[in-house]
């Protein structure tokens, strides 16, 4: 995650539409936040990530094999790095981890022994948390949430040969951050939304688009990906203009002059002001397509009909009522599901990889994660059986697959995972929202795209 996720309340999965700050928001599965209602300035630190980071251990290829070196007990640690306004993000991740471990242990645990969840700490000193988890003999660590803190976690944990799986990191630069094959994430990179935005424009009859993007790594990365996706789809990009939050007038005027058929707004903190300026320039309603950071229930915060007919997307699919109920059984006070599905799947994947390797060491888990997620199996050796892959949707089902001499292919609460060579999910799910005259969005469809933005 490179920005603060939205408050995400439990509700009936059939309830239509995300809502504003005073109402329930729609549950989702992948990155299970509903609307970006809370934006923390601290998350902007993720802008420091570049596409070719070099602070971590050298080498970023996936591990293909590992010698068994575990002690027989699978220990799972968590980095919960959310404080202040973002503190609500901790509870759903912790509940999901506890639920996954409860399910794993009910199925017999790891090699007949209970899987342990190490006592989590909460704080922003990621390096200190990672160091403490090394001392506690963690085999795999779930987290952190904030993309800007991932490098600190990777540097410590990869060096100690401990697998790291973040349920929330979305900064594109992390795809190439050096981890020696120990870093994975069950959430898609921000750029994955680009072809979806372009498809929506084309489906709406557009032959040309303009891109308006907020300054910073998120805006730059996603807008670049949108332009590339537009070219691949045969759409002409007639304008591309950046703006600082609160200063979007010049960008809006540039878009007006270019007369595009559709306008893609890639923004977070400055989204509302940019929409207002685009409206002032005569660009409103169905011409607008909003990136995930710009989707919100604006209501009276914008002029009447400002977004009538506009569309936007949020990553994820809707969580089942069963999964919601299971989470609440772990934490009866839980009212938010942000990143719960991704956390649940991360824990299950770690345990399945350990089961495939018959070893709980972090190196064995890291070596097996790609295969058990449904990604391409190691070419030689590796922790997973080389047999035919068989789908499974729980730890217990995957154990049965492994017992039959087949390769487990886990698809969980967040959908299909299939880690690629960078530790990224291979596909990303998105929910499409359409805006009405009241400037509030209603769920209207779904789309899937490759995690690389293609």
């Amino acid at each position: 995650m490179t920005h603060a996720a939205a408050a995400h309340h439990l509700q009936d999965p059939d309830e239509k539409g995300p809502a504003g700050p005073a109402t329930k928001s729609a549950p989702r599965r992948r990155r299970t936040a509903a609307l970006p209602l809370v934006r923390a300035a601290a998350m902007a630190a993720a802008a420091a990530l570049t596409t070719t980071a070099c602070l971590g251990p050298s080498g970023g290829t996936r591990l293909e094999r590992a010698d068994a070196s575990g002690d027989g007990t699978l220990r799972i640690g968590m980095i919960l790095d959310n404080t202040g306004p973002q503190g609500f993000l901790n509870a759903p991740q912790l509940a999901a981890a506890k639920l996954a471990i409860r399910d794993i242990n009910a199925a017999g645990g790891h090699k007949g022994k209970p899987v342990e969840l190490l006592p989590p700490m909460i704080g922003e000193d990621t390096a200190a948390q990672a160091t403490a988890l090394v001392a506690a003999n963690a085999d795999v660590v779930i987290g952190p949430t904030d993309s800007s803190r991932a490098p600190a976690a990777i540097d410590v944990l990869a060096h100690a040969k401990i697998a790291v799986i973040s349920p929330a990191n979305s900064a594109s630069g992390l795809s190439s951050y050096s981890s020696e094959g120990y870093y994975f994430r069950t959430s898609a990179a921000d750029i994955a939304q680009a072809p979806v935005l372009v498809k929506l424009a084309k489906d709406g009859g557009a032959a040309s688009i303009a891109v308006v993007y907020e300054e910073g790594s998120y805006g730059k990365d996603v807008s670049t990906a949108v332009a590339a996706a537009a070219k691949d789809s045969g759409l002409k990009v007639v304008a591309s203009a950046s703006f600082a939050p609160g200063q979007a007038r010049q960008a809006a005027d540039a878009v007006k002059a270019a007369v595009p058929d559709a306008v893609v707004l890639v923004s977070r903190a400055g989204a509302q002001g940019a929409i207002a300026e685009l409206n002032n320039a005569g660009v409103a309603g169905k011409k607008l397509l909003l990136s995930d950071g710009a989707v919100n229930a604006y209501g009276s915060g914008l002029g009447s009909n400002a977004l009538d007919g506009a569309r936007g997307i949020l990553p994820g699919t809707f969580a089942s009522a069963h999964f919601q109920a299971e989470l609440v059984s772990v934490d009866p006070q839980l009212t938010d599901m942000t990143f719960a599905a991704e956390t649940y799947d991360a824990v299950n994947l770690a345990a399945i990889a350990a089961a495939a390797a018959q070893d709980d060491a972090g190196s064995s888990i890291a070596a097996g994660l790609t295969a058990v997620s449904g990604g391409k199996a190691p070419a030689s050796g590796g922790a997973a059986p080389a047999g035919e892959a068989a789908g499974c949707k729980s730890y217990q089902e995957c154990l049965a697959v492994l017992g039959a001499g087949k390769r487990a292919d886990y698809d969980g609460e967040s959908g299909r995972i299939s880690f690629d060579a960078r530790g990224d999910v291979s596909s990303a799910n998105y929910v499409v929202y359409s805006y009405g005259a009241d400037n509030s969005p209603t769920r209207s469809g779904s789309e899937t795209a490759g995690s690389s933005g293609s």
Side-chain angles (χ1 to χ4, degrees):
M1 183 181 72
T2 54
H3 63 287
H8 177 92
H9 299 283
L10 302 176
Q11 76 177 60
D12 187 307
D14 290 328
E15 182 174 342
K16 299 292 185 180
T23 59
K24 292 181 178 179
S25 53
R28 302 187 285 122
R29 277 169 47 185
R30 188 171 301 283
R31 192 172 316 155
T32 44
L35 287 176
L37 306 173
V38 184
R39 307 282 176 188
M43 296 303 192
L49 286 171
T50 66
T51 56
T52 54
C54 58
L55 299 178
S58 61
T61 58
R62 296 295 104 193
L63 297 178
E64 290 190 355
R65 63 193 315 146
D67 295 328
S69 58
D71 61 6
T73 299
L74 176 58
R75 299 180 183 86
I76 296 178
M78 297 190 75
I79 291 179
L80 299 175
D81 55 325
N82 306 292
T83 59
Q86 306 313 306
F88 73 92
L89 292 170
N90 297 320
Q93 293 181 67
L94 183 56
K98 289 180 176 179
L99 174 61
I101 290 174
R102 186 181 76 181
D103 292 346
I104 290 165
N105 287 337
H110 174 66
K111 299 177 72 172
K113 294 181 65 176
V115 174
E116 296 181 3
L117 178 64
L118 298 173
M121 300 180 293
I122 297 175
E124 297 181 3
D125 191 341
T126 305
Q129 287 178 290
T131 300
L133 289 168
V134 173
N137 296 317
D139 300 302
V140 61
V141 170
I142 310 302
T145 303
D146 186 344
S147 291
S148 70
R149 298 190 183 112
I154 295 169
D155 291 353
V156 173
L157 296 169
H159 180 75
K161 297 185 177 181
I162 296 172
V164 186
I165 313 174
S166 172
N169 293 166
S170 62
S172 300
L174 289 171
S175 294
S176 56
Y177 192 86
S178 295
S179 73
E180 293 188 336
Y182 282 90
Y183 174 71
F184 300 78
R185 49 181 168 175
T186 49
S187 57
D190 291 321
I191 60 172
Q193 65 188 291
V196 176
L197 291 166
V198 169
K199 181 179 183 298
L200 291 179
K202 196 166 186 177
D203 288 350
S208 64
I209 65 169
V211 184
V212 178
Y213 64 95
E214 186 174 326
E215 294 174 356
S217 60
Y218 170 78
K220 182 179 180 181
D221 290 348
V222 177
S223 65
T224 299
V226 167
K231 182 179 179 181
D232 291 342
S233 295
L235 295 186
K236 184 177 181 180
V237 180
V238 295
S240 181
S242 66
F243 68 93
Q247 301 177 38
R249 178 174 295 181
Q250 186 173 352
D253 289 342
V255 166
K256 179 181 179 180
V259 195
D261 295 327
V263 177
V264 176
L265 173 62
V266 182
S267 180
R268 284 179 174 155
Q272 182 166 322
I275 294 169
E277 291 293 356
L278 286 166
N279 275 209
N280 291 338
V283 180
K286 63 181 181 180
K287 272 197 170 187
L288 293 175
L289 294 165
L290 309 184
S291 73
D292 64 350
V295 174
N296 206 338
Y298 292 100
S300 60
L302 290 170
S304 179
N305 299 313
L307 288 172
D308 190 16
R311 288 165 294 166
I313 60 174
L314 288 174
T317 57
F318 285 88
S320 68
H322 173 74
F323 184 55
Q324 293 184 38
E326 290 289 285
L327 287 168
V328 173
S329 73
V330 173
D331 180 0
Q333 304 303 313
L334 192 66
T335 59
D336 187 281
M337 289 185 65
T338 310
F339 305 126
E342 292 85 351
T343 300
Y344 182 83
D345 288 346
V347 174
N348 273 293
L349 283 164
I352 296 164
Q358 284 294 291
D359 182 49
D360 56 273
S363 54
S364 293
I365 292 169
L369 277 170
T370 299
V372 302
S373 73
K376 185 177 180 181
S380 61
E388 176 188 357
C392 47
K393 294 186 177 181
S394 70
Y395 178 73
Q396 187 170 22
E397 285 185 16
C398 291
L399 283 185
V401 168
L402 294 171
K406 297 181 180 180
R407 178 163 58 89
D409 175 358
Y410 174 79
D411 291 332
E413 290 295 330
S414 64
R416 184 145 185 80
I417 299 164
S418 298
F419 288 130
D420 64 17
R422 300 166 299 183
D424 289 340
V425 293
S426 296
S427 63
N429 299 314
Y430 290 89
V431 178
V432 180
Y433 291 94
S434 296
Y435 281 82
D438 61 352
N439 299 323
S440 292
T442 300
R443 185 181 57 187
S444 59
S446 61
E447 297 285 348
T448 300
S451 65
S452 64
S454 60

